[in-house]
Amino acid sequence: MDFYAIEDRDAIRSSWNIFPPSRLEAARLGFPISCLYSPLKRKTFQCPYEPILCKACRSVLNPYCSIDFRSKIWVCPLCLQRNQFPPHYSEINEVKLPAELIPDYSTVEYVLPRAPTAHPIFLYVIDTCLLEEAEMSALKDSILMSLSLLPENSLVGLITYGANVQVHELAFESCPKSFVFRGNKETTAQQLQTLLGLQNRPGAQYTAPAPIGPGQPQVRPARNRFLLPLSECEFTIETILEELQCDPQKVKTDQRPLRCTGAAVSLAVSLLESTYPNTGARIMLFTGGPTTEGPGLVVSASRTEQMRAHFDIQKDEAKHYTSACKYFEGLGTRAAQNGHAIDIFACSLNQVGLAEMRELLKKTGGQVVMADSFATPVFKESFKMIFTRDEKGDLSMCFNGTLDVIMSKELKVCGAIGHLSSLSKKGPAVSETEIGIGETTSWKAPSLDSNSSYAFYFDVVNQHSNPIPAGQRAIIQFLTQFQNCKGQRIVRVTTVAHAWADMSQGNTQPNLSFDQEAAAVLMARWVVFRAESEEYSNSLNWLDKTLIRLMQRFAEYQKDNPASFRLPPNISLFPQFMYYLRRSHVVQIFNNSPDETTYKRYLLMKENTANSMIMIQPALEAFNLTTIADAANPSRPALLSATSIQHDAILLLDTFFEVVVHHGKQIADWRNQGYHNQPEFEHLKRLLEAPKEYSQGILKGRFPQPRYIECDQHSSQARFLLALVDPDVTHQQGLYGPPGGAQAVITEDVSLSVFMDFLKKLTVQG
């Protein structure tokens, strides 16, 4: 079965591609029926009209419907309801079909013929408590650059904050004008409306100012004073940014700057929900440190109080953590309900409180970039990539989306895992078993892009005593509705059909349909979701037990005989994926701060199958004097193992978050002696340049841009490679490894071979 062809057509990867026909058979699988869906991964055919809906289940007309061309009736394959075609479909026949009935168009888009809503809104929220003017200058340069990439009809607003919050009135052109709010307390939405004069009824359309009489000044609605089209306020906002300086507060050496991030985000959320509710908008937060003042406090201003670590959170000794998480979760819920996304750009050598603010991102699907400084390429290039345009010249981002799932009566949805919030749409299609964000068939997704991916989990409810008729298929339909950058409403419909397994042939059909890469990513999302709500050790134990049950389902073995253990090819790599998942930074919290863990888990929950697999099992490429002879393909894939670390090779490790170029000891010595600068050693020069060229292709095509690291064997930064490779060569075999040049890894972790031995032993004991 070609899983990649299915993904290319419909942007879906399923754990099982042939479904068990009953609840009993589904329970025996050991892993739920589930899929990864990327709604905007690929362009598809667009229909400039409203979709045709089933009058019973509200599903959309699709290629799997039965059509009676004579009476112009179609039968819904999900609920078997008979529906009449509308009059403008009167001319369809077997050879003249609309796009949504053509088998190759199982995914189509409908551009709803309605008046466009307001153009996208970008509200910049800027931290001025940066310690150096160079940091502020770099941040201002990036924001000014972003203004040049926005459509001219975009609405733009500006909020700056330090110890206090300033909401800038962009419509006041005579001089910079702003409203100042105290940072040590929260201002409610009602108070903000009163203080800023926003009592006018909020709407979705920008109202242009109009003069009230000849020679008299223009009168603007109150909400139009703070959010203006870029074409009208570009000069004003550029003037404010150019004059923006670091917060003037005097900070003692034993104190942190007073930074009221929570109050600033609250004002931004209140401003948008008071002026443009249920309209596509982004709050872009730029922060350089933790909240030390007001609501959402992460750490006190005194440096005698240390930033919380994972150990403090586990022991419930992080005194501000719970209250800060609850506060930001409330803000995230309000933003999501109004279709507003919140992006966070956190640039600091220390933690900024991303762990406490994670619900702002998770509920709204906003972008996140974490770097050491606003002057680093990681921030600059990643920020620029947000504003990339498609082939039509439109911004590739989408706003204010919803996802609905409709399925055959034999299936129910358990939940979804991804950057979504529940719309609490309950019904008979909701399963009693909850996985992720459950008890609904509809979710809110305020921000979507081509990388946005969502995991859905299903349950078979058909009873074993009720056989499914031959030829009938399980149908799942995804409806994604969103606003594009032109203000148009788009509905993307993806309909997939899965065969029911013939269990008279045993487990052959379900087993052959198992997609081990998709299952590994779905398992990773599930275990990370559990890890955020329960003890870390409990989630690891659950992962191990689930893996053992799955091996007992698939493997061929004799009881109590580990040597007889055999796995079929379609699942042979799954235990290896789980081994590297257990050691990955998305599961392990050792040697990671809470902010780093939050950042990496957030990206895992967003990315598609291919990118998520790199996070689970990093890719390793080897370059040596033999491989570079092939100019078209100068590297070879290498095992993620300590045996791949050789003195005469260069390794390139791609973890998704970092790209590490590791020079073997002999290569590093030749480089340090300058041999590559001599004409007779041109081949050495090519060897040194090949990994850099390879890495540039990764850096330019990935968001967020990974951190680029060059290191030599036995140097301190070689730890980025040694921490992730399979330690099949350890210090117990000698400090520099066994004969042959492989480097030993000093660790107490078990190797893949030891892990597999234990897995075989536990499986056959079952």
Side-chain angles (χ1 to χ4, degrees):
M1 186 171 290
D2 191 348
F3 307 126
Y4 301 105
I6 299 173
E7 184 178 23
D8 288 340
R9 186 182 70 240
D10 294 318
I12 287 181
R13 291 284 292 271
S14 301
S15 56
W16 307 93
N17 289 274
I18 297 178
F19 291 175
S22 68
R23 181 191 290 270
L24 178 62
E25 298 294 342
R28 291 173 178 171
L29 289 180
F31 193 86
I33 295 171
S34 47
C35 68
L36 284 158
Y37 178 47
S38 304
L40 305 183
K41 184 177 180 180
R42 58 182 291 270
K43 296 294 181 182
T44 188
F45 186 83
Q46 284 193 335
C47 304
Y49 47 81
E50 296 268 359
I52 307 302
L53 303 180
C54 172
K55 61 184 179 183
C57 67
R58 309 304 291 173
S59 65
V60 176
L61 183 67
N62 59 79
Y64 303 103
C65 297
S66 300
I67 309 296
D68 184 344
F69 291 102
R70 294 187 61 185
S71 57
K72 298 296 184 288
I73 289 176
W74 62 279
V75 179
C76 174
L78 290 96
C79 65
L80 305 181
Q81 172 68 41
R82 292 169 60 86
N83 300 274
Q84 189 75 40
F85 278 108
H88 59 277
Y89 276 67
S90 59
E91 296 183 2
I92 67 170
N93 53 48
E94 290 85 347
V95 295
K96 189 178 180 181
L97 294 172
E100 59 265 40
L101 290 178
I102 299 175
D104 290 340
Y105 290 163
S106 51
T107 296
V108 294
E109 277 187 359
Y110 297 90
V111 182
L112 302 185
R114 303 172 187 172
T117 59
H119 291 281
I121 304 168
F122 298 88
L123 179 55
Y124 293 86
V125 182
I126 302 174
D127 175 13
T128 59
C129 291
L130 304 182
L131 299 180
E132 299 178 2
E133 286 292 342
E135 276 285 284
M136 177 60 75
S137 178
L139 175 56
K140 291 193 294 186
D141 290 344
S142 294
I143 294 176
L144 288 169
M145 175 274 301
S146 71
L147 294 177
S148 66
L149 300 176
L150 293 178
E152 290 189 354
N153 51 18
S154 299
L155 302 185
V156 180
L158 178 63
I159 294 176
T160 58
Y161 72 95
N164 298 305
V165 186
Q166 297 184 53
V167 180
H168 294 266
E169 184 178 333
L170 302 180
F172 196 80
E173 300 176 355
S174 302
C175 65
K177 177 182 177 182
S178 62
F179 290 76
V180 181
F181 296 83
R182 293 176 60 181
N184 57 4
K185 70 173 186 178
E186 183 180 9
T187 303
T188 65
Q190 186 63 42
Q191 291 172 333
L192 181 72
Q193 292 177 23
T194 303
L195 293 170
L196 299 186
L198 301 176
Q199 292 89 348
N200 296 340
R201 181 185 177 188
Q205 294 290 335
Y206 169 75
T207 306
I212 60 176
Q216 296 186 5
Q218 293 177 330
V219 177
R220 292 178 180 271
R223 62 193 180 91
N224 290 355
R225 291 156 39 214
F226 303 95
L227 296 164
L228 293 178
L230 181 61
S231 57
E232 296 184 22
C233 69
E234 186 170 7
F235 177 77
T236 303
I237 198 170
E238 286 180 356
T239 301
I240 296 172
L241 289 173
E242 289 170 357
E243 296 177 356
L244 191 63
Q245 297 179 351
C246 293
D247 195 286
Q249 60 178 297
K250 294 182 179 180
V251 183
K252 297 180 180 179
T253 55
D254 62 342
Q255 297 286 313
R256 297 182 177 92
L258 295 178
R259 180 182 284 108
C260 58
T261 307
V265 175
S266 175
L267 284 168
V269 171
S270 297
L271 178 61
L272 286 178
E273 74 179 359
S274 300
T275 53
Y276 291 95
N278 200 30
T279 303
R282 307 191 80 93
I283 297 172
M284 308 186 83
L285 171 64
F286 303 85
T287 181
T291 306
T292 57
E293 177 81 344
L297 185 73
V298 173
V299 65
S300 69
S302 175
R303 292 190 181 275
T304 57
E305 181 182 337
Q306 299 294 322
M307 284 289 292
R308 77 285 176 273
H310 278 297
F311 179 83
D312 300 318
I313 296 172
Q314 290 176 337
K315 297 296 183 181
D316 200 22
E317 295 176 356
K319 60 181 180 180
H320 307 296
Y321 181 77
T322 302
S323 60
C325 288
K326 184 177 180 181
Y327 175 77
F328 286 113
E329 182 179 4
L331 294 181
T333 300
R334 287 168 55 193
Q337 288 173 347
N338 287 283
H340 302 150
I342 300 178
D343 306 323
I344 299 180
F345 304 92
C347 294
S348 173
L349 292 172
N350 203 344
Q351 298 184 73
V352 301
L354 192 65
E356 286 83 354
M357 294 189 287
R358 65 181 182 270
E359 292 298 328
L360 296 177
L361 297 164
K362 290 169 59 178
K363 289 185 178 297
T364 68
Q367 305 285 11
V368 60
V369 176
M370 193 168 73
D372 295 338
S373 166
F374 288 111
T376 60
V378 173
F379 166 72
K380 287 185 173 182
E381 297 302 320
S382 299
F383 186 51
K384 187 186 300 183
M385 290 175 67
I386 291 178
F387 304 98
T388 54
R389 296 175 179 258
D390 57 22
E391 60 275 7
K392 296 180 180 179
D394 300 327
L395 289 178
S396 56
M397 63 180 72
C398 297
F399 307 85
N400 194 19
T402 59
L403 277 85
D404 291 84
V405 59
I406 306 172
M407 65 228 80
S408 302
K409 60 182 178 62
E410 295 85 4
L411 297 173
K412 289 188 177 182
V413 62
C414 300
I417 297 180
H419 303 318
L420 303 159
S421 57
S422 173
L423 288 177
S424 301
K425 184 179 179 181
K426 299 184 179 181
V430 175
S431 173
E432 297 177 357
T433 304
E434 185 176 1
I435 299 177
I437 306 171
E439 298 185 352
T440 183
T441 59
S442 183
W443 296 263
K444 189 80 171 181
S447 175
L448 302 97
D449 57 47
S450 58
N451 289 332
S452 299
S453 181
Y454 308 96
F456 294 91
Y457 299 80
F458 301 95
D459 195 11
V460 178
V461 295
N462 188 57
Q463 296 301 318
H464 190 68
S465 58
N466 182 29
I468 295 176
Q472 184 173 321
R473 290 183 287 187
I475 308 292
I476 301 175
Q477 187 174 86
F478 298 95
L479 283 76
T480 309
Q481 187 171 167
F482 55 89
Q483 172 191 330
N484 65 12
C485 65
K486 295 179 180 178
Q488 298 172 312
R489 294 300 296 180
I490 309 293
V491 178
R492 174 173 285 221
V493 181
T494 297
T495 311
V496 292
H498 294 271
W500 295 105
D502 181 3
M503 301 310 294
S504 63
Q505 302 179 17
N507 298 325
T508 303
Q509 288 187 351
N511 289 2
L512 292 177
S513 75
F514 185 73
D515 184 347
Q516 54 187 339
E517 289 184 359
V521 177
L522 290 159
M523 177 70 84
R525 289 202 180 198
W526 197 358
V527 73
V528 166
F529 186 88
R530 292 175 62 102
E532 293 183 348
S533 58
E534 62 183 30
E535 288 289 336
Y536 167 73
S537 57
N538 291 344
S539 59
L540 270 186
N541 291 337
W542 173 85
L543 175 63
D544 294 338
K545 291 177 181 178
T546 304
L547 176 60
I548 292 170
R549 286 198 300 269
L550 196 60
M551 293 300 99
Q552 292 172 343
R553 170 73 170 76
F554 271 103
E556 297 178 0
Y557 58 88
Q558 298 174 2
K559 187 175 176 61
D560 297 327
N561 182 9
S564 65
F565 183 92
R566 297 290 185 276
L567 281 175
N570 61 309
I571 197 176
S572 59
L573 296 177
F574 190 78
Q576 175 181 312
F577 296 155
M578 294 300 99
Y579 168 76
Y580 286 110
L581 172 63
R582 295 178 87 263
R583 303 180 74 239
S584 69
H585 294 310
V586 298
V587 172
Q588 292 289 341
I589 60 175
F590 176 74
N591 206 29
N592 277 301
S593 68
D595 280 13
E596 289 175 312
T597 301
T598 299
Y599 177 65
K600 293 174 180 178
R601 287 178 175 178
Y602 180 84
L603 292 177
L604 174 75
M605 294 292 204
K606 177 184 179 180
E607 293 295 330
N608 57 32
T609 306
N611 288 339
S612 298
M613 281 304 302
I614 296 176
M615 300 183 207
I616 295 171
Q617 181 175 328
L620 191 65
E621 293 283 330
F623 300 78
N624 55 45
L625 293 175
T626 303
T627 62
I628 62 166
D630 183 358
N633 187 18
S635 65
R636 298 290 183 272
L639 292 174
L640 190 61
S641 164
T643 57
S644 297
I645 305 175
Q646 301 291 330
H647 299 318
D648 59 349
I650 300 177
L651 297 178
L652 188 146
L653 177 71
D654 180 9
T655 71
F656 190 86
F657 312 106
E658 299 100 7
V659 173
V660 182
V661 175
H662 177 276
H663 300 88
K665 184 177 184 301
Q666 190 175 57
I667 302 294
D669 289 342
W670 289 343
R671 182 203 60 209
N672 294 338
Q673 295 173 30
Y675 284 118
H676 61 290
N677 295 323
Q678 301 178 21
E680 59 268 31
F681 294 103
E682 182 68 23
H683 56 290
L684 178 60
K685 183 179 180 180
R686 291 201 309 272
L687 175 60
L688 292 171
E689 291 177 349
K692 297 180 181 179
E693 294 174 358
Y694 190 100
S695 63
Q696 285 304 309
I698 298 174
L699 298 177
K700 291 179 180 178
R702 180 173 297 165
F703 178 88
Q705 186 179 85
R707 180 183 174 189
Y708 179 71
I709 301 168
E710 283 192 23
C711 62
D712 297 337
Q713 191 174 6
H714 307 307
S715 67
S716 62
Q717 289 198 316
R719 68 184 185 276
F720 288 97
L721 174 64
L722 297 178
L724 293 175
V725 296
D726 172 20
D728 49 357
V729 180
T730 68
H731 57 287
Q732 297 176 356
Q733 296 165 284
L735 185 60
Y736 296 101
Q743 181 180 339
V745 179
I746 303 175
T747 182
E748 298 298 326
D749 284 350
V750 300
S751 65
L752 176 59
S753 60
V754 174
F755 175 82
M756 287 300 301
D757 289 342
F758 273 96
L759 179 61
K760 293 175 183 178
K761 181 179 178 182
L762 293 171
T763 300
V764 301
Q765 285 178 352

